[in-house]
Amino acid sequence: MRKAVFPGSFDPITNGHEDIIRRAIPLFDEIIVAIGVNADKKYMFSLDERKRFIEETFKDEPKIKVETYQGLTIDFCKEKDAQFILRGLRNPADFEFEKAIAHTNRVLSKIETVFLLTAASTSYISSSIVRDVLRNGGDYTVLVPKAVRK
């Protein structure tokens, strides 16, 4: 079974995240969308809200599971018997950052990282941009899945 973990804070999930996950479905037997929990980080949405947004977005997709975790992503992957980490790349800066993490993960484990380029139509979207639009009363609805808009 080809199992991938797609880690992130998903605060909130964006159309970019959704695009990467949907495009990865044919590549894997199971994808665990793994919401990382960092006690030192202040989130806009609660863990329960973030989990619900993702579960609702993928409610009709049996290959998608949503879980939460703390600690190293590679430890979570080992616990879930996942052979791959899935990551989306928006730009060259993302690539450099993600490449360093992927190399580190590869040294520490046998887990491979699979990169998918974001679609041109979503490459500008990030959760931090969505949060800024929300804080300032802007129209965020074109940036996020329907579950977040409710």
Side-chain angles (χ1 to χ4, degrees):
M1 174 183 260
R2 297 172 64 85
K3 190 183 297 188
V5 168
F6 186 46
S9 60
F10 304 102
D11 188 32
I13 185 172
T14 69
N15 289 342
H17 294 129
E18 181 182 7
D19 173 67
I20 291 293
I21 295 165
R22 289 204 187 277
R23 288 175 35 228
I25 289 170
L27 304 176
F28 302 102
D29 300 306
E30 182 177 304
I31 299 171
I32 301 171
V33 181
I35 306 170
V37 178
N38 180 341
D40 296 329
K41 191 171 178 183
K42 178 133 173 73
Y43 297 103
M44 178 175 272
F45 295 94
S46 72
L47 182 60
D48 287 340
E49 287 173 310
R50 290 180 281 148
K51 191 169 191 251
R52 183 176 47 80
F53 294 155
I54 299 166
E55 288 172 339
E56 191 172 322
T57 299
F58 295 100
K59 67 180 179 260
D60 297 324
E61 182 46 66
K63 286 185 174 185
I64 304 298
K65 309 289 185 247
V66 184
E67 299 195 29
T68 63
Y69 76 102
Q70 290 183 307
L72 294 175
T73 301
I74 57 170
D75 290 340
F76 179 75
C77 289
K78 289 175 189 172
E79 176 187 321
K80 297 299 174 181
D81 199 29
Q83 306 89 358
F84 303 95
I85 295 172
L86 174 64
R87 299 298 294 161
L89 298 175
R90 292 173 299 185
N91 55 48
D94 277 359
F95 173 72
E96 289 302 325
F97 177 74
E98 294 290 347
K99 180 177 76 165
I101 294 171
H103 283 312
T104 302
N105 287 341
R106 188 70 182 108
V107 166
L108 298 176
S109 71
K110 299 251 187 248
I111 298 166
E112 291 288 352
T113 301
V114 175
F115 297 110
L116 291 182
L117 297 178
T118 56
S121 61
T122 61
S123 64
Y124 64 95
I125 303 172
S126 69
S127 292
S128 58
I129 288 173
V130 172
R131 290 191 305 271
D132 194 45
V133 171
L134 272 162
R135 274 190 214 98
N136 290 288
D139 181 8
Y140 65 95
T141 60
V142 298
L143 306 173
V144 297
K146 185 167 46 173
V148 180
R149 292 179 263 185
K150 292 180 179 177

